[in-house]
Structures are given as C-alpha cells and as structure tokens.
C-alpha cells in the first residue's frame, strides 16, 4: 500500500532546541495529520491539516501542508523534556477515511 | 474531550488460546471503528474497518477468520485474536470516529499489549 516517508528516524537534542521533521509521499494526500505516541499508549492527535499551503500552530508546535500536497512538516520550538516520544505523520487520500502512517520519528530531549 | 478505552491494557496468553480485546467510546457514538496493529519500533498498520451493524472490511493480508471483529454497538467494538501464536504478539490499537466530520474527530484508544507465549 501507499507509504509515507518520514524523516529523520530519530533525533537527540538538547532542551531548548528547535526540532523539525517531515513526511513526503509520491502521491497526493487530502489531509495531513501529526500524532505523538508515548510508550505503551495510543497516538494523540497534535495537528490536523486540510488544505494545501495551510500552516497551523498548536502551542510550540507548527505544521504545514505542502503546496504540492505531497509533503508536510512539523516543527517544535524550544523543546522541553516532556516532548520526548514518537511523532507520526499520517494522511488520507481520495474519499477514504483510512489513515496511512509514516514510520515515526523518535525524539529524545536531553535536559 | 472524547475518551476511548481499551480492555485489557495488557494480556499474556498461551499459544493456541483466543483473546478478546474491547474498545469502548465513553462519551460519544462511534459510527466507524478501526483496528490497528503496531509491532515494536514500527508504525501503525490498519487491520480492518467496521461500521456498526455490518461486517468489517479487512485489509489485504489480514485473516478475517483469525481476527474476528464485532462492532456490537455504537459504543463498543471487539477484536478477538483466535488461536493466538507468538507472531501475533503486538500492540493492538482501536480508533473511533465520532462522526462529526473531519479526521480530527477520530480518537485512538490507549492500546492493548498482547504477548503470546
């Protein structure tokens, strides 16, 4: 099935640093979503994007829906230790409700 | 906000036994429910989609006779792993659609860790 290419696979940063991760696809997506998953728990939605070019913020998080509709990025500013976790991008295509997930970016924040 | 629960949160069973996992929505009616499987350090893979009162639609490669899904009501869906084997050990997560439109009205459960010995 369709795959989303998410990078980087992992990041090790110092507290206070900014973080950027992205997802790309060879085909068009109608929605882009960013989730955070902590160990032993289900993913929690961070930001949902519905329109090409859309830039949306949620606190220290900012995400954008690429103009080509084939990519999206997530930025985290001024990282804190509780930002640790695995961040997944996901998207839907056509009229489907099915979410296609990226492979995740594991974020480690050193205090 | 919406709350989704899963029970049990963890289960360990012997090979050959069946395990039932429940997914409940606590404060909304879920028209559509999705079941995912996540292996360690991997992404979420959709197993099946179910709508209340109808048969589930399984993804390619997912055995419908092995992973029985029952969308019993608008607040409950169950996944039964029949004749479980060690390779079925995984993290199973449900996702419910509150039906208010938009992917941001879909909520994941906290997951169930299945270990088959």
């Amino acid at each position: 099935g369709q795959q989303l290419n998410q990078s980087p696979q992992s990041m090790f940063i110092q507290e206070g640093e900014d973080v950027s991760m992205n997802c790309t696809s060879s085909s068009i997506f109608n929605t882009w979503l960013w989730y955070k998953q902590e160990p032993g728990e289900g993913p929690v939605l961070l930001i949902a994007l519905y329109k090409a070019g859309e830039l949306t913020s949620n606190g220290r998080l900012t995400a954008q829906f690429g103009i080509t509709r084939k990519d999206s990025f997530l930025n985290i500013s001024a990282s804190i230790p509780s930002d640790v976790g695995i961040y997944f991008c996901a998207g839907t295509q056509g009229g489907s409700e099915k979410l296609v997930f990226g492979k995740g970016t594991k974020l480690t924040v050193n205090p | 906000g919406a709350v989704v629960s899963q029970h049990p949160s963890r289960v360990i069973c012997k090979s050959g036994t069946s395990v039932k996992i429940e997914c409940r929505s606590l404060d909304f009616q879920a028209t559509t429910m999705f079941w995912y499987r996540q292996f360690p350090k991997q992404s979420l893979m959709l197993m099946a989609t179910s709508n209340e009162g109808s048969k589930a639609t399984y993804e390619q490669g997912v055995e419908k006779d092995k992973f029985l899904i029952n969308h019993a009501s608008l607040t409950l869906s169950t996944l039964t792993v029949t004749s479980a084997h060690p390779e079925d050990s995984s993290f199973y997560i449900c996702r419910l659609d509150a039906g208010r439109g938009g992917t941001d009205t879909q909520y994941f459960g906290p997951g169930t860790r299945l270990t088959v010995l």
Side-chain angles (χ1 to χ4, degrees):
Chain A
Q2 175 62 45
Q3 294 289 318
L4 290 178
N5 302 307
Q6 186 171 349
S7 66
Q9 191 173 14
S10 61
M11 301 182 77
F12 298 84
I13 62 170
Q14 291 297 125
E15 183 177 0
E17 289 183 355
D18 296 342
V19 171
S20 185
M21 59 191 79
N22 68 83
C23 266
T24 61
S25 171
S26 58
S27 59
I28 289 172
F29 278 73
N30 294 331
T31 62
W32 285 95
L33 303 151
W34 286 92
Y35 290 87
K36 179 186 178 186
Q37 186 179 29
E38 299 191 17
E41 301 195 6
V44 174
L45 181 65
L46 300 173
I47 294 179
L49 302 160
Y50 299 101
K51 210 164 74 167
E54 182 181 353
L55 183 70
T56 298
S57 293
N58 178 7
R60 293 179 294 107
L61 279 62
T62 302
Q64 184 160 31
F65 192 142
I67 291 176
T68 64
R69 297 170 65 191
K70 294 181 180 181
D71 63 331
S72 177
F73 72 74
L74 174 71
N75 287 343
I76 304 173
S77 62
S79 59
I80 59 178
S82 61
D83 288 335
V84 299
I86 301 177
Y87 292 79
F88 289 98
C89 64
T92 61
Q93 296 179 291
S96 174
E97 297 174 305
K98 294 181 185 178
L99 279 180
V100 177
F101 279 84
K103 293 191 174 182
T105 296
K106 184 176 181 180
L107 178 63
T108 302
V109 180
N110 297 313
Chain B
V3 178
V4 178
S5 70
Q6 277 185 241
H7 177 78
S9 58
R10 293 175 182 269
V11 56
I12 301 173
C13 70
K14 292 182 179 179
S15 185
T17 60
S18 294
V19 175
K20 180 186 282 189
I21 302 169
E22 292 186 349
C23 177
R24 291 181 186 273
S25 60
L26 301 184
D27 61 359
F28 65 94
Q29 292 186 324
T31 54
T32 307
M33 296 185 175
F34 306 84
W35 284 95
Y36 292 81
R37 180 169 50 183
Q38 185 179 30
F39 292 108
K41 299 184 180 180
Q42 304 250 334
S43 189
L44 286 77
M45 299 300 295
L46 180 65
M47 298 176 67
T49 304
S50 72
N51 292 293
E52 188 262 344
S54 62
K55 289 185 179 179
T57 302
Y58 289 80
E59 294 300 298
Q60 193 172 10
V62 178
E63 300 174 59
K64 63 179 180 179
D65 294 330
K66 180 169 180 63
F67 298 99
L68 302 178
I69 291 172
N70 182 17
H71 195 146
S73 71
L74 289 172
T75 59
L76 174 65
S77 177
T78 61
L79 167 67
T80 301
V81 183
T82 62
S83 187
H85 291 284
E87 58 266 30
D88 298 324
S89 299
S90 187
F91 194 52
Y92 292 87
I93 311 173
C94 64
R95 179 170 70 100
L96 310 185
D97 180 0
R100 293 192 287 269
T103 46
D104 60 348
T105 56
Q106 297 174 354
Y107 305 94
F108 281 93
T112 296
R113 172 75 60 193
L114 171 63
T115 302
V116 184
L117 303 176

